[in-house]
Structures are given as C-alpha cells and as structure tokens.
Amino acid sequence: MTVSVGIEAMGLAVPELYVDMAQLAEARGVPVGKFVEGIGLKQMSVPAVDEDTVTLAVRAARMALAGVDLKDVGLCIVGTETAVDHSKPVTSFVQGLLGLPTHCRIYETKHACYGGTAGLMTALDWIRSGSNRGRKALIIASDIARYGLRSAGEPTQGAGAVAMLVSATPSLVAFDQNVGTYANDVMDFWRPLYSKDAVVDGQYSVTCYLDALRGAYRAHQETGTGVTPSYSDRFAAIAYHVPYPKMAKKAHEALRLVDGDAAPAASFERQVRTGLLLPERVGNIYTGSLYLSLLSVLNGDPRALDGQALGFFSYGSGSCAEFWSGTVTPGAQAKVKALGLGALLEARRQLTIAEYEQIMTAREGLDTRVPGADPVPAFRFAGVENHRRLYTRA
Ligand code: CAA
C-alpha cells in the first residue's frame, strides 16, 4: 500500500529588519536596475545582532507546530550551512527551546543549500518505511546568508527559516516517491571553517546550478514516466531553489529548453512568478529558499490549486541537487494564507544602509559576545558565557 506522505503544516521566520535594494545599489554606486531587475530583489532581510540560525529555526517551528501535541514529534532535523557550533547541532538548542520530547531523534544536516532537502527526504522515507510508528517529523531549514559588505555576493544575502511538519496526513502538499538526483564534485560555493563569510565563484556557481538542474530533471523524467516533450506542463507551478529571483528565471529557461521550449516567457508567468513574491522581499535563505518559494506559491497564487501538481528543485553547492513532484492538498492555500505571511513582512523595519553596515560589522563578534544586563526578548541569542551559547526562553 502506498502511504500518502507530505507536509502537514509550515512556518516561516524572517528577521524584523531589511534593506531596500534600490538604496543599497545607490550606496554601492551600482545602477538600481542591476540589483532590482538584474538580481530581481526588492528587499533583503538583515538579521539583528541577537538573531542566529537557532532563533530563526525556533520561531519558524513554533508557527508550524501551532496546535500540535509535541509528544507526536519523533524526528527533528535542522538543515543548515550556517551552524553555530562545530559539534553541538542547532537541533539540540531547538529541542530545548521548543520542549520537544526526550524520545525524539534529533540531528543537523549539512550540504550547502541542499541540507534542508536532505532532512525532508529522510523524513519522507522514515514515514514511508513505517519506522515513524505514527509519529511526525519536524524539518527546519534555517540560515543566515552572508557574503560580506561590498562583495559581489552582497546583493544575494538574506536570513530566515522555514519549518515543515511532515506526516502521513499531509494537509498542504503530498509528495510523489519519484525523486531525480544529481551530484557532482565542484568548487562553486563554500565557507571555510575559519570564515563567517561564504566564498563563491559567482558566475561558475550559476553554471553549476543549471547543470545540476538539467541532470536532476532528466533523472526525474527517466525514473518516472520517461522523457516526453513539454513534460513540465503537468506542473501548475515549479518551486526552484531561489538564491536570488533572477536565478529561478534562468533555471526555468533551462528546464523548458530540456522540454524543447525555447520561448518560456508565458510558462514563467504561469509556473514561477508567484513563487518569487516572498523571495524577492526576503533574499537568499539558503536551505529554506525553495520552501519559501513553495510558501509563496500557496500564499500568493490567485488560481485554485487543489489537486494540482507541483514541481520542486533543490540545489546545494558542492554539489547535490534533486527534482521531484507533489500534489496540493485541498484547502492548503487557505491554511497558508491564515499564517499572515504578508503581515509578517510588513511588520519589519527598514534599515538605512549605515545601520545595515553597523549590524554586519557587529555580527562579526557574535560568537564571543558577552551577555548584557538588558533583558532580551524571548527566543533570542543572549550571548556566550563560559563557552556556552545562551538563549532566552518564553
Ligand atoms: N539593469 C538591469 N539589469 C542589469 C543592469 C542594469 N543596469 N546591470 C546589470 N544587469 C544584469 C546583468 O545583465 C545580469 O543579468 P543576467 O544574469 O540575466 O545576464 C545581472 O544583472 C547580474 O549582473 P552580473 O552577472 O554582472 O552580476 P555580478 O557578476 O556582479 O554577480 C552573482 C551576480 C554572480 C549572482 C553574484 O551576486 C554572486 O556571486 N552571488 C552569490 C552566488 C549565487 O547566488 N549563486 C547562485 C547559484 S549557486 C546557489 O544557488 C547556491 C546558493 O544559494 C549560494
């Protein structure tokens, strides 16, 4: 018997601060069109000095877990490429702050932006195998994308987390078992152990992403119904990994070319546009970017998507990529709209470029920050004492 497995609930956390991309372009002496149209970003999230991968993960998870009995969660994986410790996983902090049960299996996964997908695939197989014994999995993709001030990657930064409650009773998306995988050892993007900033061969990383997309998409076709012209027409929408919105446009053009479609503009509007509405206001959130795009589709697509097929593409530099598919569960769009994601973004504060630069510089000393005397809001990073990271609780 095939078990229906997928996402039952989702949550999103973004920092309360952002910069306007037109202002950043002006400050860098770059034409505004380059950042706003060329990169495709309107706003970029900036983490405050008391935000890290843990606090974002916890806040996203609390949204996904609303009304859920924590005793039902038997697996929790945090996918991240911006962990806070070389040994202790982000997931341990998350378990403590959320109060997840002690019999819950917890760990962290890393493979650049693919880490969250690695967690999701494990959760799907855990449930399909029956090892879950009726329990659910909490998968969180949390990251702070940082390339540094005045670097070529600066306009493709961001921060945020997406949490997914994965179960055999999916009420948002049910996934098909056919997954097309592509892996290739490349040096396109990495972050050495000694650095807070990512190192990237920017144009090469775009090439690697597109090679991986073609490889994973063909693998999905070959293990599924076989390679057919206009294969992707079956998808009402395709959620891509979105390091920046223009990358999703390039991805869609490459995918449609595999299908033999050299004029993808109309299909881009139909299949990709709504998936970029949230990413273009948040920026790159690495592991969570694809899932932010999924939230964007469910939150912003004007069509009724009940029962419609979706495509998913996950890319992690280094590299590993997967293309797979799923079906929207009836009522999913209303459920996501009720999360109030638009209001979440509206409530943020716009930084001046000088304030943004101060925060970026202050964050360099984050891992040795001494706790201050001032009270810190709930689920924030309070500082480091005796080599121990401290977080505030509710
Ligand atoms: N008006 C409109 N568009 C303009 C413009 C103007 N005045 N000036 C330039 N542009 C366009 C360019 O034509 C270009 O568009 P196309 O790509 O369609 O040709 C776009 O703006 C960007 O211009 P450049 O390519 O010259 O920009 P760049 O070389 O300075 O850097 C980048 C772009 C390589 C993406 C860089 O920001 C970077 O290194 N980012 C980090 C790496 C990254 O995000 N890679 C993505 C694939 S890897 C991945 O996905 C994993 C991950 O998450 C990191």
Side-chain angles (χ1 to χ4, degrees):
M1 192 188 77
T2 311
V3 185
S4 173
V5 185
I7 305 175
E8 182 178 317
M10 294 180 82
L12 172 68
V14 290
E16 288 107 0
L17 306 172
Y18 72 94
V19 287
D20 176 82
M21 292 307 284
Q23 286 191 3
L24 184 62
E26 277 162 17
R28 297 292 175 257
V30 167
V32 169
K34 176 169 177 180
F35 285 3
V36 177
E37 287 137 43
I39 297 291
L41 214 54
K42 293 185 171 128
Q43 299 166 350
M44 186 172 81
S45 289
V46 179
V49 287
D50 58 1
E51 287 272 37
D52 67 9
T53 302
V54 172
T55 63
L56 291 166
V58 169
R59 289 202 283 123
R62 281 170 62 84
M63 188 187 282
L65 289 170
V68 173
D69 187 343
L70 295 184
K71 287 200 300 297
D72 291 341
V73 180
L75 173 67
C76 178
I77 305 172
V78 177
T80 184
E81 57 185 288
T82 49
V84 297
D85 191 281
H86 287 309
S87 174
K88 179 167 172 165
V90 168
T91 328
S92 290
F93 293 106
V94 168
Q95 189 228 355
L97 289 166
L98 288 177
L100 289 177
T102 50
H103 57 256
C104 179
R105 179 184 294 161
I106 59 166
Y107 56 93
E108 180 183 299
T109 48
K110 181 190 77 177
H111 184 139
C113 302
Y114 172 78
T117 301
L120 174 63
M121 292 299 162
T122 301
L124 297 177
D125 290 342
W126 179 68
I127 295 169
R128 287 183 185 121
S129 73
S131 296
N132 66 317
R133 301 194 306 278
R135 292 170 299 166
K136 303 166 197 271
L138 175 64
I139 307 303
I140 311 170
S142 181
D143 271 305
I144 292 176
R146 180 185 160 108
Y147 295 91
L149 299 172
R150 297 175 189 82
S151 66
E154 184 180 27
T156 62
Q157 301 176 123
V162 178
M164 296 173 273
L165 187 67
V166 181
S167 76
T169 51
S171 48
L172 295 182
V173 177
F175 292 116
D176 306 326
Q177 210 162 351
N178 172 21
V179 179
T181 304
Y182 177 93
N184 192 20
D185 177 10
V186 289
M187 289 300 282
D188 61 332
F189 166 103
W190 63 101
R191 189 167 65 84
L193 287 176
Y194 51 79
S195 177
K196 275 203 181 311
D197 298 344
V199 183
V200 63
D201 187 343
Q203 300 298 345
Y204 180 55
S205 73
V206 172
T207 305
C208 293
Y209 176 120
L210 296 177
D211 286 346
L213 168 69
R214 286 183 282 261
Y217 182 53
R218 285 198 182 102
H220 176 79
Q221 290 179 304
E222 282 157 13
T223 53
T225 55
V227 182
T228 54
S230 307
Y231 181 90
S232 64
D233 278 342
R234 69 192 62 197
F235 304 123
I238 303 173
Y240 293 95
H241 168 52
V242 189
Y244 54 98
K246 182 61 142 329
M247 187 69 237
K249 186 161 184 283
K250 288 176 193 281
H252 190 67
E253 286 164 2
L255 180 135
R256 294 292 295 194
L257 211 50
V258 173
D259 282 356
D261 175 11
S267 70
F268 175 81
E269 289 305 316
R270 189 175 72 249
Q271 295 177 300
V272 189
R273 191 70 205 103
T274 55
L276 301 181
L277 296 175
L278 295 177
E280 70 190 12
R281 297 182 63 194
V282 174
N284 195 0
I285 59 170
Y286 287 162
T287 50
S289 293
L290 153 64
Y291 305 101
L292 180 63
S293 183
L294 168 61
L295 278 171
S296 190
V297 170
L298 295 176
N299 187 59
D301 203 298
R303 300 166 295 175
L305 294 174
D306 288 358
Q308 298 284 307
L310 300 180
F312 302 91
F313 175 66
S314 178
Y315 176 70
S317 292
S319 66
C320 186
E322 277 178 330
F323 191 97
W324 74 104
S325 50
T327 306
V328 179
T329 312
Q333 287 166 290
K335 207 171 164 190
V336 169
K337 282 196 183 99
L339 296 175
L341 302 182
L344 190 76
L345 297 195
E346 286 306 320
R348 298 176 305 168
R349 181 170 80 82
Q350 184 181 332
L351 295 170
T352 63
I353 300 305
E355 286 174 318
Y356 150 71
E357 290 174 352
Q358 278 163 13
I359 288 175
M360 288 289 282
T361 305
R363 289 188 64 83
E364 279 164 27
L366 200 67
D367 293 332
T368 50
R369 190 173 143 215
V370 176
D374 297 336
V376 179
F379 304 119
R380 294 306 169 104
F381 174 55
V384 178
E385 203 170 63
N386 197 17
H387 302 292
R388 288 162 169 79
R389 288 180 89 87
L390 304 178
Y391 292 92
T392 50
R393 290 167 189 268

